[in-house]
């Protein structure tokens, strides 16, 4: 069976997996980024807020979260890609 990837709007049930994805992606920067970057993860409440506001998209592999994009609004109509992580 072929793997099935999809991108969906963030949903509450997948939020808890995002910090682990963020940490796994940061390990790829080991030796190139300071420890503060390697050990920092987004607070779960921020993910839930972004999900509720439609600023979070999640990449799925067969319905399992494997990546995400988090958008921060800098102002009215001014979105900024705050974070993009993939396992």
């Amino acid at each position: 069976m072929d793997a099935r990837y999809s991108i969906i709007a963030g949903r509450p049930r997948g939020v808890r997996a995002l910090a682990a994805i963020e940490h796994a992606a940061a390990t790829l920067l080991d030796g190139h980024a300071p420890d503060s970057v390697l050990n920092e993860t987004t607070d779960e409440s921020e993910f839930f807020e972004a999900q509720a506001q439609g600023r979070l998209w999640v990449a799925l592999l067969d319905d399992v979260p494997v990546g995400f994009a988090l958008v921060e609004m800098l102002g009215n109509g001014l979105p900024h890609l705050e974070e993009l992580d993939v396992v």
Side-chain angles (χ1 to χ4, degrees):
M1 183 168 134
D2 293 330
R4 308 221 11 125
Y5 289 95
S6 57
I7 307 261
I8 63 165
R11 47 189 184 189
R13 71 178 188 176
V15 164
R16 286 187 171 74
L18 302 184
I21 292 169
E22 186 174 18
H23 182 69
T27 63
L28 298 173
L29 299 173
D30 193 21
H32 304 286
D35 286 342
S36 61
V37 171
L38 300 176
N39 298 318
E40 179 183 358
T41 57
T42 303
D43 188 85
E44 195 173 86
S45 65
E46 188 174 336
F47 284 129
F48 277 114
E49 181 180 328
Q51 180 274 321
Q53 295 175 355
R55 299 183 290 108
L56 178 66
W57 292 267
V58 177
L60 303 174
L61 171 59
D62 295 328
D63 207 39
V64 175
V66 294
F68 69 89
L70 174 65
V71 169
E72 184 71 32
M73 295 303 293
L74 300 180
N76 190 18
L78 295 172
H80 167 73
L81 181 58
E82 180 69 21
E83 181 113 19
L84 178 67
D85 290 313
V86 179
V87 175

